[in-house]
């Protein structure tokens, strides 16, 4: 299907979005000229941008498999973005075919493409909601019938919380999801930080002011604080190449740009 055939009516394709920027950095084709122009500015500010996007996607995969190994069979993927290779349901089902996934995003094109991809999938769906409204998201997820909040759940917030401004209370948002799930549930979270490459990060923040999704990097202490009420598993909150790597990596942790970790609810 041609891209233009599934772009929802009324979408301003000239205004770049984080979801389509991420798609562009990963080498996807569901982006527009404005997204690509922003992507090139992003790369100029942060030359390691494409590698960082790849590292974030790889962390998503490893964190899902980690949760599968701990018995998790249902997932809530917050800010899931435009589907690309290695979606949560694909990763999870290779290890556990019965895995169920509810994706959450509010960006029209991300939702439209996700619905098209998941149209005939009885174990995965997407709800169009703002992840910073946990009560609304939980209710919408429950209505799908695919997740049971009385059983351990894997909550994924991978590469999205740097778009949550301080005034939206990121700690409170995560705490609401924590309170909605039972002990034994897991949280995987990654986000940009200025602790690594502060000059480049300042440039990225400036670039993203020209999109629908300004960026708010956080320190290691602030990101670790988002895991309040969770026991963070080894190796803790670290640059993504250092989080349970599957072999030798050539990626320099000092240039990873993003910190991430996984926690288990007590």
């Amino acid at each position: 299907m041609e891209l233009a055939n599934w772009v929802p009516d009324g979408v301003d394709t000239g205004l770049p979005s984080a979801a389509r920027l991420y798609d562009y950095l990963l080498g996807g084709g569901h982006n527009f000229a404005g997204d690509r122009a922003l992507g090139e500015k992003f790369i100029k500010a942060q030359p390691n941008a494409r590698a960082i996007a790849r590292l974030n996607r790889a962390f998503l995969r490893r964190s899902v498999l980690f949760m599968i190994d701990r018995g998790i069979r249902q997932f809530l993927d917050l800010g899931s973005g435009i589907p690309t290779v290695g979606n949560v349901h694909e990763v999870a089902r290779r290890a556990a075919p019965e895995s169920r996934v509810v994706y959450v995003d509010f960006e029209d094109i991300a939702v439209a493409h996700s619905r098209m991809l998941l149209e005939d999938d009885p174990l995965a769906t997407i709800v169009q909601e703002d992840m910073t409204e946990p009560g609304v998201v939980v209710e919408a997820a429950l209505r799908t019938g695919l997740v049971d909040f009385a059983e351990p759940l894997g909550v994924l917030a991978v590469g999205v919380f740097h778009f949550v401004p301080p005034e939206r209370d990121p700690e409170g948002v995560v705490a609401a999801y924590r309170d909605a799930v039972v002990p034994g549930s897991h949280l995987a979270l990654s986000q940009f930080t200025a602790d690594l490459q502060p000059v480049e990060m300042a440039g990225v923040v400036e670039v993203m002011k020209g999109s629908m999704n300004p960026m708010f990097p956080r320190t290691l202490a602030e990101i670790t604080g988002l895991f309040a009420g969770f026991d963070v598993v080894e190796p803790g909150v670290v640059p993504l190449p250092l989080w349970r790597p599957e072999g030798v990596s050539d990626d320099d942790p000092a240039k990873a740009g993003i910190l991430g970790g996984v926690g288990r609810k007590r």
Side-chain angles (χ1 to χ4, degrees):
M1 180 179 291
E2 292 296 325
L3 183 63
N5 291 341
W6 58 264
V7 175
D9 292 339
V11 171
D12 182 0
T13 60
L15 182 61
S17 79
R20 300 194 300 270
L21 169 64
Y22 189 43
D23 177 72
Y24 175 68
L25 293 176
L26 285 169
H30 297 96
N31 48 75
F32 302 104
D35 305 305
R36 294 188 286 274
L38 183 73
E40 289 306 312
K41 292 179 182 177
F42 196 108
I43 292 168
K44 185 175 181 180
Q46 171 48 276
N48 205 39
R50 290 192 183 277
I52 290 171
R54 171 180 52 79
L55 289 169
N56 195 60
R57 199 70 179 174
F59 168 73
L60 174 66
R61 174 184 175 276
R62 296 198 305 277
S63 63
V64 167
L65 292 177
F66 176 86
M67 294 183 195
I68 289 284
D69 286 345
R70 272 74 187 167
I72 300 295
R73 295 294 183 271
Q74 52 176 358
F75 297 88
L76 185 68
D77 186 3
L78 304 174
S80 51
I82 293 175
T84 186
V85 175
N87 291 305
V88 172
H89 68 284
E90 295 172 337
V91 172
R93 286 186 200 156
R94 289 191 190 105
E98 70 275 24
S99 297
R100 310 181 309 280
V101 181
V102 174
Y103 295 100
V104 181
D105 210 297
F106 68 87
E107 202 267 345
D108 289 330
I109 290 176
V111 172
H113 190 48
S114 296
R115 285 177 176 160
M116 187 173 65
L117 176 72
L118 301 171
E119 185 176 12
D120 299 318
D121 191 327
L123 297 180
T125 191
I126 186 164
V127 296
Q128 187 168 16
E129 301 293 351
D130 184 339
M131 70 175 189
T132 65
E133 298 181 2
V136 175
V137 169
V138 169
E139 288 297 323
L142 284 169
R143 286 196 298 271
T144 69
L146 291 181
V147 290
D148 180 357
F149 282 81
E151 299 293 332
L153 179 72
V155 180
L156 306 167
V158 177
V160 292
F161 259 79
H162 40 244
F163 299 117
V164 180
E167 59 267 24
R168 294 304 296 269
D169 186 17
E171 296 87 354
V173 170
V174 177
Y177 286 109
R178 179 201 65 213
D179 293 344
V181 300
V182 298
S185 297
H186 286 64
L187 168 69
L189 185 146
S190 66
Q191 85 137 77
F192 271 99
T193 180
D195 291 359
L196 306 172
Q197 297 185 291
V199 173
E200 288 83 351
M201 191 69 249
V204 166
V205 169
E206 192 61 33
V207 166
M208 292 304 292
K209 289 178 181 178
S211 77
M212 293 191 299
N213 310 104
M215 190 174 283
F216 304 89
R218 294 185 170 88
T219 65
L220 171 61
E222 289 171 328
I223 297 169
T224 301
L226 295 174
F227 285 94
F230 293 88
D231 292 322
V232 180
V233 304
E234 292 295 332
V237 179
V238 296
L240 296 190
L242 300 180
W243 197 86
R244 296 177 178 260
E246 299 173 327
V248 178
S249 171
D250 294 330
D251 292 297
D252 182 354
K255 297 182 179 180
I258 296 182
L259 301 174
V262 173
R264 182 182 187 276
K265 182 176 177 178
R266 301 174 192 138

